Amino acid sequence: MPVAKAKLVIAESVQSHGLYIALDTTTKKVKVVSDNCERWLGLVPEAVLGRTLDSLFSKRCAKTIEDCFTRPGDPRAASPLGVVIPARTHLGPLQAILHRTSELLVVEVEPSSGIAAALFHNYHLRLRWTVEEMEQTTNIKRLCAKVVTEIREMTNFDRVVVYRFDPEWNGEIIAEARAEELTSILGLHYGAADIPAKVRDHCSVHWLRFIADRDDVPSKLVSDDPSLRLARSRFDLSNAALRSVSPIHFDYLRNIGAVAAMTVSLLQGGQLWGLIVCHHHSPHFVPYEVRLACESLGQILSWQIASKEHSQRNANRESAARALSEVLAIASNDQNFVDALTASPQPFLDLVQADGAAIHFRGETRIFGRTPTANEVDELINWLRAEHAGETFVTDRLMMHYPRAAQFGKVGSGVIAANLNPGEKDYIVWFRTENAHAIRWAGDPLESVVDDAGFPAARASFMPYTERIRHKSLPWLEWQVDHARRLVFLLMGSILERADEMRLLNQELRESSQAKDEFLAMVSHELKTPLTSIMGWIQLMKAGLLSARESANAIARMEKSAEAQLRIIDDLLDVSRVISGKMRLQTLIIDPEIALRDAIASVQPAILSKGVNLLTTTQALAGPISADPVRLQQIFWNLLSNASKFTPRGGRIEVRLERISSHVVLTVSDTGVGIPEELLPHVFERFRQGSSSLARTHQGLGLGLAITKQLVDLHGGALEASSRGEGHGSTFIVRFPLSPVRMENATTGLSECGHSLVEAEDDVTRTEGCLKETVEGLRVLLVEDEEASLEVLRTVLGKYDVKVTAAQSAREALDTARKGDFDVIVSDIGMPEMNGFDFLTELRSQTEGKTATTPAIALSAHASESDRMRAFRVGFQAHIHKPVNIEHLLSVLGEVAHARPASFVL
């Protein structure tokens, strides 16, 4: 059964710390109840069956629950709900968790923290700060260590660890937070049998599992419906928060001394990567709100791990690709490629990160690096031809397949071997040396974990067991094997048809060179076109050939041309970040409808001016999702802008935002030019358009969809394109995983830190009179090392009666600030000798009184989130991106000058 459809069903019971009620979907009457209902309801099971909720709970609670089941979507999104049982008010505050099965509506009642809103707010703030710290951490083990520390502080479990699976499903503890009196288990390994396949399948579908008390007596489920009698029909408890677990798991907890437990899954591409495991040595109830926050943190950690592993894989693949190009260049410089590679072996080894290699070609064996002897290599190749002919042989334990490797195990424990010429003895073999080490196991992993009858059982002994690993190398990674195969494939072609291969290679180089020239010409054209407009208008204005009205029009056109250049530069910078693996997300729990609304507002004037009909459909409460709000809006804007660009006058663009299963889905379809069948597979590749020539119909570098695809991937989403061909329009569908955390007031992320940092967005507009009124008479210290920029800013501020004192270096500004009295400091960041960050830090530390608390605005050509956050930390109240929008500068200047001092962060 596929993992995506796997279900764990426990037919007979649930944990007794809560009440389980299941209603008929049609009659809304109780069909199943847990046998502990007398404690919760004051009624025996037989008296509960057949009743409606309003006879058990308060009428208001019953109505709220029924409304949640009636509305479209998953009722779990509304959980938890506070509930009142009139007859049992002495039980204290209670809450209900809702979900559906294929046959029933399920209500699970648990004790409530009593301060749900405050708890949620507190844990959400902790979550935000933890995510910010996670963004700054590149090492996965350190990342996991931050998370387990945070979860332990939130839940008060005695021990919290991250348990990572290896390819054989053995586990390793890679991060740990624990009570001081406990012995550390960091670095311990556990056998695959400790977490059976069925449990792993369940964890791949459901994020969290919680056990409050190992010694709890489970509550049996009771039904008077013959079709649901549990003795005859297994009952689906897959999504039940109270679901019990198998006796084997209880035995396992008992054997390790744990009484309460919680696990949060860590998934990569739907597959189980690891688990966050929490244990406590006494009964321990964790409120649902806290469990929800931990589940969200586990999801975010999964995405962070995926992003960082994706970036590392990309960097490794690019490094190997460069090595492959270098190897091919070396091999092509000599008629005998073996001589060429032997003379320059390092790139050949770097290609797969090998310690040594051997090439047997036309009866001669060449070895370089750390390898067995030539004779030992010949014997190995004879064995390969006999046992593995025609295949690429890969292993990190050669001795298991080839016992004679014991003679050279220290230098040849791992190999990648490939036949260069089918039917011949021509081979390339890469070697890795022995990686001798010890593994500390919690119990002998080879020990049988079964009971006397031969059935699976819980491991009883966790006595430390040390395994000495010999004759094993570091494992070969998938990308290393891929590049080895690719090189061998290219060399096989060279050997069999060298002349034809060279012709094809030269053709590829010519095409690559032509593509590069066309792209450079395209960039030149796209940048010079608006620049030509700017220069032309400047020359007309200098010559005095324009009237006042024409000059105003000229300025507006120059501004539009400059904005077009900025968009091109931003696209190129985004591509650079993607290629280098430096693209980072600043994720929040947000409502995607807000980002979509802002994106539509940005492109709607252009769409309407073309006479294109825009139809928008959004599903209420489709979110929330975990996303970078700025990048999410960029995704939406790119898709809408792309549809607008390729849809002719009189056409139609349809936008639909909805929740489908566990995803938020945006569909953008148009009646435009469509996508040719041959171009469709390449639509998300960089620099690809229908035509790359200067005569192409549409402007742009062909980067928008490529950037959009990368951003969607980094969010853990999926983007796909479809079209019925030219002239039949196109459809783009983007899917984002739904966040398990619901926010009452979803944010757009304008302030992640909860402080008064003013972010530089162009949506702040005011009338000229209002702007002048707010800044008139302000005393401003302006720090800018570029003379042209300094002069422009000083002149503009002077037009609004701002009293400007200028400084062209940080040192000069420090002297001026100590002597003068200023209302606001406006400082560039990128200055020689001393940058703006260091300038403000020194100013704050060395001065007293008003100067030490003078509000400051940072000007920077760097738009990264790390620069914005650094500006906030050193004491700036605002961060404005260059080139500066004058209206926005004046607006922010007025805001920070008149803000209350208590709002400043010094």
Side-chain angles (χ1 to χ4, degrees), residues 269-282:
Q271 300 296 316
L272 195 61
W273 183 92
L275 296 170
I276 299 172
V277 181
C278 311
H279 285 154
H280 206 72
H281 293 84
S282 61

Side-chain angles (χ1 to χ4, degrees), residues 803-837:
K803 298 176 182 179
V804 178
T805 300
Q808 285 193 264
S809 71
R811 293 295 178 192
E812 181 184 351
L814 285 171
D815 294 337
T816 304
R818 295 186 187 109
K819 298 173 184 176
D821 189 7
F822 300 100
D823 298 307
V824 182
I825 298 170
V826 179
S827 175
D828 185 27
I829 294 300
M831 296 185 291
E833 297 183 8
M834 178 184 288
N835 62 38
F837 298 129

Side-chain angles (χ1 to χ4, degrees), residues 170-182:
N170 300 308
E172 178 189 3
I173 306 298
I174 65 169
E176 177 186 43
R178 59 183 170 86
E180 291 184 1
E181 65 272 14
L182 298 182

Side-chain angles (χ1 to χ4, degrees), residues 543-830:
L545 299 177
L546 300 179
S547 66
R549 183 175 180 180
E550 289 172 331
S551 294
N553 179 59
I555 291 171
R557 290 180 177 275
M558 286 190 288
E559 184 178 22
K560 187 174 183 180
S561 296
E563 289 173 352
Q565 285 188 312
L566 277 175
R567 282 196 296 272
I568 294 171
I569 293 169
D570 286 342
D571 280 351
L572 290 171
L573 288 174
D574 276 347
V575 168
S576 175
R577 294 186 189 105
V578 169
I579 292 174
S580 63
K582 294 180 180 179
M583 178 71 77
R584 295 290 184 265
L585 301 181
Q586 302 296 321
T587 54
L588 297 173
I589 308 301
I590 64 174
D591 184 350
E593 185 179 356
I594 297 175
L596 177 60
R597 189 165 59 241
D598 292 342
I600 290 175
S602 298
V603 301
Q604 196 165 28
I607 293 175
L608 296 179
S609 68
K610 291 182 64 177
V612 173
N613 187 23
L614 177 62
L615 304 177
T616 304
T617 304
T618 59
Q619 178 182 331
L621 300 177
I625 62 175
S626 179
D628 182 317
V630 175
R631 294 300 184 184
L632 182 65
Q633 187 173 337
Q634 182 181 359
I635 291 169
F636 292 167
W637 186 92
N638 280 348
L639 293 176
L640 291 167
S641 179
N642 187 72
S644 173
K645 182 188 299 184
F646 292 101
T647 301
R649 180 173 295 276
R652 184 177 70 257
I653 298 174
E654 295 184 10
V655 180
R656 185 168 66 255
L657 182 70
E658 58 189 331
R659 181 189 298 180
I660 300 178
S661 185
S662 60
H663 287 76
V664 173
V665 180
L666 175 74
T667 304
V668 179
S669 58
D670 61 64
T671 58
V673 298
I675 305 171
E677 183 179 356
E678 66 275 10
L679 182 61
L680 195 58
H682 308 287
V683 73
F684 297 119
E685 295 178 9
R686 295 190 290 271
F687 314 129
R688 291 299 292 262
Q689 286 190 337
S691 169
S692 60
S693 70
L694 292 179
R696 69 197 194 286
T697 305
H698 301 282
Q699 293 182 332
L701 301 179
L703 298 176
L705 289 178
I707 293 171
T708 302
K709 179 67 166 63
Q710 293 290 336
L711 290 176
V712 171
D713 289 347
L714 287 175
H715 280 83
L719 176 61
E720 61 187 60
S722 62
S723 175
R724 290 184 295 141
E726 289 188 83
H728 294 284
S730 57
T731 298
F732 290 86
I733 299 175
V734 58
R735 294 178 173 86
F736 294 103
L738 186 68
S739 171
V741 176
R742 169 171 292 278
M743 291 184 61
E744 295 300 326
N745 297 304
T747 180
T748 56
L750 293 181
S751 174
E752 288 185 47
C753 304
H755 296 296
S756 59
L757 179 64
V758 181
E759 181 57 37
E761 299 294 340
D762 291 335
D763 59 354
V764 180
T765 58
R766 301 185 180 189
T767 64
E768 183 175 354
C770 180
L771 287 174
K772 186 171 183 178
E773 181 180 337
T774 59
V775 301
E776 186 175 12
L778 289 179
R779 295 161 298 177
V780 172
L781 174 58
L782 177 62
V783 190
E784 171 62 72
D785 65 304
E786 291 288 341
E787 186 174 352
S789 298
L790 179 67
E791 187 61 31
V792 169
L793 291 171
R794 179 164 52 188
T795 301
V796 170
L797 293 174
K799 295 291 185 182
Y800 288 83
D801 294 334
V802 176
K803 298 176 182 179
V804 178
T805 300
Q808 285 193 264
S809 71
R811 293 295 178 192
E812 181 184 351
L814 285 171
D815 294 337
T816 304
R818 295 186 187 109
K819 298 173 184 176
D821 189 7
F822 300 100
D823 298 307
V824 182
I825 298 170
V826 179
S827 175
D828 185 27
I829 294 300

Side-chain angles (χ1 to χ4, degrees), residues 141-311:
K141 286 189 176 181
R142 285 199 293 269
L143 183 70
C144 293
K146 288 180 182 295
V147 171
V148 296
T149 299
E150 188 64 27
I151 288 182
R152 183 166 185 266
E153 289 182 4
M154 289 195 299
T155 62
N156 292 319
F157 273 106
D158 289 336
R159 191 193 308 269
V160 183
V161 301
V162 170
Y163 182 96
R164 180 173 64 185
F165 292 105
D166 68 12
E168 286 77 39
W169 297 109
N170 300 308
E172 178 189 3
I173 306 298
I174 65 169
E176 177 186 43
R178 59 183 170 86
E180 291 184 1
E181 65 272 14
L182 298 182
T183 302
S184 175
I185 60 173
L186 186 64
L188 275 182
H189 292 246
Y190 292 78
D194 287 4
I195 302 182
K198 188 174 182 180
V199 176
R200 296 196 300 266
D201 289 348
H202 177 78
C203 292
S204 299
V205 179
H206 302 282
W207 284 92
L208 185 139
R209 179 171 64 170
F210 172 63
I211 300 170
D213 185 357
R214 171 200 73 200
D215 298 321
D216 164 64
V217 177
S219 297
K220 293 185 178 181
L221 299 179
V222 180
S223 174
D224 60 359
D225 187 334
S227 65
L228 290 176
R229 286 192 185 278
L230 303 182
R232 300 179 182 178
S233 172
R234 295 188 67 79
F235 188 66
D236 182 8
L237 293 177
S238 299
N239 293 318
L242 294 172
R243 65 182 179 273
S244 189
V245 296
S246 71
I248 295 177
H249 189 71
F250 284 135
D251 290 343
Y252 186 88
L253 293 177
R254 191 171 290 108
N255 293 344
I256 64 174
V259 177
M262 184 174 74
T263 58
V264 181
S265 300
L266 300 174
L267 304 178
Q268 299 293 301
Q271 300 296 316
L272 195 61
W273 183 92
L275 296 170
I276 299 172
V277 181
C278 311
H279 285 154
H280 206 72
H281 293 84
S282 61
H284 187 59
F285 179 73
V286 179
Y288 180 76
E289 295 90 347
V290 182
R291 301 192 322 251
L292 199 61
C294 293
E295 182 177 332
S296 179
L297 195 53
Q299 245 186 352
I300 293 169
L301 176 58
S302 295
W303 298 333
Q304 288 282 349
I305 291 171
S307 174
K308 287 168 173 55
E309 288 188 342
H310 177 76
S311 296

